Amino acid sequence: MILNFYFFLFKELVSFLSWSPVQIGAPKVQVAEELEAYPTESVELSCQFNDGGGLTKLTQVSWIWEPSDGHRDNIAVYHPVYGQSFPNVAFKDRVVFLHNSLENPSIRISNLRMSDAGRYTCEYATYPTGNEQGTTTLIMLSKPKNSANGVTVQAGTKSVVVARCEAADAKPAATIEWLAPVGGNHSTSTTSGPDGTVTVRSEYRLVPTPADNGREVICRVNQKTQKQPWVYPIKLSVEYLPSVSIEGYDHNWYVGRSDATLVCLANANPEPTTITWTAASGPLPETVVVEGNKLTVRKVDDAVNTTFICEVKNRLGSSRNQITTVVIEALEDPSSAGVVAGAVIGSLLALLLVVALIAVLLTRSRRQQRRGYPSSGDSIATGSGGSNGGDYGNKARLLFSNSGNNSSKNGTGTNNNGPIYTYREGCDATGTLTEKANDYHHHHLHHASTGNAPTAHDILLSSEMDEAERRKFDLDDSMEEEEERYDRFGGAGGGGNILPPAYHVHRGHAGEEMDVYLDDDMESQRDGSVISRTAIYV
């Protein structure tokens, strides 16, 4: 029983200690270990005394400031009888107690300064245990004042500073980086201030060239108080003498050319102040006009067969460039050459057109000669030229053969192979053609007298005509020969109204000779007769 009782007391004591706010070994003065603040802001330093049994008597509480150099100085004192006291002049009117209590003597420091950084100790004077204390470290932070700028330099062969970047009055110290594609290098220096801040400076160096002018380098600053890095681009400024070039010369300055132009181009920093054109041979020719950086030759002649010099100046000095122009013999104007070419082509086309027209006319004339059209002045009806020029009549259809005993067209000869026609004068100019009753044709034949039957001689003549029809396509060659003979005949006689010999048919009563026009549908037969290709013979 006794053992159980002591065991119960032990458990209760352990439970009481576990719920007690003041644990065994825990500090009695409770404060924050570390605080951060910025200048011009305020900060609260909390302090609280925890006495578990209430056996400790609190007499007085003091706040002691210890700067980084190790000096101790009271900045605030509280006594329950005598009240508050602020002995340090540097903190006067900036420090106040938040509660008039020994158990919670927390203070507020306003309008902070960078020099306020250090250790702040809350110290109790107690009885009977003596002094009790707790210390808070105040860290003052300062945002850097960042800046960057380029340095104007002249192009050269030595490495010089072309850009600077600075992070001033920062706490803690900042870091500076360079982002640059120009292949330079940088150097960094650090300076500490009296209030604990740090200023970092960095310089970027390179050997400047004209090509570096306008290029960009970037300064980047990193620091604890910044939410993100500070980035600043810098354009390099490199000064250099003018770089001069001349454009516009095309090596085609021929005599008489107008408005030939040269242009002087200059690349310089700073900008060019003057541009001057001169000639190596002396004064500029009279045909030359200068407007700014442009030189214009109004009309090219031998006077501009020289060397032109362009000189450009800026604040650093001057540079020049030159070009030699060579005047060549006058060339044909491309536009006039085009006109001439067009005229030649047009003339050729016109000539071809005339030749084609002549060929068509000659062909038509030969066809007319082949057809045997009479010339103006010949009478087809009478066969005499120019005496009785009238309408074409039925007499034109009268077909004759050469006189003799070998052939006869109207059935009087021994080789009659066609119908027999007679001509009867009528009251009109054309007359009338009638057919004798003894003709016979086997294709749709009609007879003048239905009472006479075809004889054996007629049938023989019809068979001979069929054979002639089969051979009619063989006559083309003979017609060509006739044309050639006609050409020779006409050339020899010199008469323009003479018909071809093949078309002179001599036939008539009592040996009368008649010149007869043959239509183009007529066809010569081997027996010397001529028949129509389209007429229907009955």
Side-chain angles (χ1 to χ4, degrees):
M1 295 292 293
I2 296 174
L3 291 175
N4 292 335
F5 176 76
Y6 284 109
F7 181 76
F8 175 79
L9 291 177
F10 178 77
K11 289 179 61 178
E12 290 295 324
L13 179 59
V14 171
S15 176
F16 173 79
L17 292 176
S18 64
W19 286 98
S20 176
V22 181
Q23 299 182 1
I24 299 175
K28 294 181 179 180
V29 180
Q30 296 182 352
V31 295
E33 292 185 2
E34 184 177 279
L35 294 175
E36 292 180 348
Y38 292 93
T40 71
E41 295 182 355
S42 299
V43 65
E44 292 184 359
L45 303 178
S46 62
C47 181
Q48 187 174 0
F49 188 86
N50 294 320
D51 185 8
L55 300 177
T56 303
K57 300 296 182 179
L58 302 178
T59 305
Q60 178 179 290
V61 62
S62 301
W63 280 95
I64 303 170
W65 172 56
E66 298 181 35
S68 57
D69 55 5
H71 179 73
R72 290 172 62 91
D73 194 1
N74 288 332
I75 61 172
V77 178
Y78 176 76
H79 190 275
V81 175
Y82 302 105
Q84 302 176 3
S85 174
F86 303 98
N88 194 312
V89 177
F91 288 88
K92 189 176 183 180
D93 299 330
R94 294 195 300 129
V95 178
V96 295
F97 282 98
L98 298 178
H99 309 281
N100 291 324
S101 170
L102 288 175
E103 288 78 10
N104 188 4
S106 300
I107 62 173
R108 177 189 294 119
I109 304 175
S110 303
N111 194 16
L112 288 173
R113 304 169 183 170
M114 290 302 299
S115 57
D116 293 339
R119 293 164 55 89
Y120 290 83
T121 301
C122 179
E123 184 177 82
Y124 280 92
T126 66
Y127 179 83
T129 58
N131 295 338
E132 299 285 348
Q133 62 183 18
T135 301
T136 299
T137 301
L138 177 62
I139 299 175
M140 292 300 299
L141 300 178
S142 176
K143 296 179 180 179
K145 299 177 179 66
N146 300 320
S147 62
N149 64 283
V151 179
T152 301
V153 297
Q154 293 184 10
T157 58
K158 295 182 179 180
S159 178
V160 295
V161 176
V162 297
R164 292 190 176 96
C165 188
E166 182 180 86
D169 301 332
K171 190 176 180 180
T175 59
I176 297 177
E177 296 177 317
W178 289 95
L179 305 176
V182 294
N185 53 73
H186 67 278
S187 59
T188 303
S189 61
T190 301
T191 303
S192 298
D195 55 0
T197 60
V198 178
T199 297
V200 179
R201 297 181 179 88
S202 182
E203 295 177 340
Y204 192 82
R205 295 173 173 268
L206 58 78
V207 178
T209 64
D212 294 326
N213 183 53
R215 288 187 174 179
E216 189 174 88
V217 296
I218 297 175
C219 171
R220 184 168 65 183
V221 177
N222 295 283
Q223 206 260 352
K224 182 178 181 179
T225 62
Q226 298 178 162
K227 293 181 180 180
Q228 60 186 8
W230 181 82
V231 176
Y232 189 84
I234 304 170
K235 283 190 176 182
L236 302 183
S237 177
V238 180
E239 294 182 341
Y240 50 92
L241 291 172
S243 176
V244 182
S245 63
I246 299 176
E247 295 183 356
Y249 181 58
D250 57 1
H251 300 277
N252 191 28
W253 284 26
Y254 54 86
V255 175
R257 176 177 174 176
S258 59
D259 294 335
T261 302
L262 297 178
V263 179
C264 182
L265 302 178
N267 179 22
N269 185 29
E271 292 295 324
T273 55
T274 60
I275 298 177
T276 305
W277 284 96
T278 58
S281 58
L284 292 175
E286 295 181 356
T287 59
V288 172
V289 177
V290 175
E291 296 179 359
N293 66 331
K294 183 186 294 185
L295 182 147
T296 303
V297 180
R298 295 303 184 191
K299 190 174 183 180
V300 175
D301 54 17
D302 291 336
V304 296
N305 195 17
T306 184
T307 299
F308 291 100
I309 303 171
C310 177
E311 184 177 12
V312 181
K313 294 181 180 181
N314 68 355
R315 182 170 52 82
L316 301 180
S318 63
S319 299
R320 60 171 56 188
N321 197 352
Q322 65 184 29
I323 188 168
T324 299
T325 56
V326 178
V327 178
I328 59 179
E329 293 297 329
L331 299 178
E332 184 178 358
D333 188 0
S335 59
S336 63
V339 173
V340 172
V344 171
I345 295 174
S347 300
L348 292 177
L349 292 177
L351 181 61
L352 291 176
L353 182 61
V354 171
V355 171
L357 182 59
I358 294 175
V360 170
L361 294 177
L362 290 176
T363 302
R364 185 173 180 181
S365 176
R366 292 177 66 87
R367 288 181 179 177
Q368 289 178 353
Q369 293 175 0
R370 183 186 303 175
R371 293 173 182 176
Y373 289 160
S375 60
S376 60
D378 291 342
S379 174
I380 297 175
T382 64
S384 60
S387 62
N388 187 17
D391 296 333
Y392 296 116
N394 286 334
K395 289 183 179 181
R397 293 292 183 180
L398 290 178
L399 308 177
F400 300 93
S401 63
N402 294 331
S403 62
N405 296 326
N406 293 333
S407 60
S408 176
K409 183 62 183 172
N410 275 337
T412 60
T414 61
N415 190 21
N416 191 340
N417 61 353
I420 300 174
Y421 291 93
T422 61
Y423 177 77
R424 181 176 299 173
E425 291 290 346
C427 59
D428 56 355
T430 60
T432 303
L433 288 177
T434 61
E435 181 182 353
K436 289 185 178 182
N438 65 344
D439 284 347
Y440 172 78
H441 197 281
H442 68 284
H443 290 294
H444 305 285
L445 298 178
H446 297 277
H447 304 280
S449 173
T450 58
N452 296 328
T455 65
H457 179 70
D458 295 334
I459 295 174
L460 179 60
L461 292 177
S462 175
S463 63
E464 290 176 357
M465 183 182 67
D466 291 340
E467 182 180 359
E469 286 291 333
R470 288 192 299 270
R471 296 195 304 267
K472 66 181 178 179
F473 294 104
D474 297 333
L475 300 178
D476 292 338
D477 296 338
S478 63
M479 293 295 292
E480 295 293 335
E481 295 176 358
E482 289 291 338
E483 291 179 2
E484 294 178 0
R485 291 172 54 194
Y486 168 70
D487 293 339
R488 293 193 298 270
F489 178 80
N497 296 327
I498 301 177
L499 293 174
Y503 294 168
H504 281 276
V505 181
H506 301 277
R507 175 67 54 83
H509 299 285
E512 181 182 7
E513 181 178 349
M514 297 178 64
D515 290 339
V516 188
Y517 162 69
L518 300 183
D519 201 351
D520 61 351
D521 64 344
M522 293 302 176
E523 184 177 88
S524 298
Q525 304 298 311
R526 290 188 176 184
D527 60 355
S529 62
V530 180
I531 65 173
S532 172
R533 296 180 182 177
T534 58
I536 299 175
Y537 297 89
V538 294

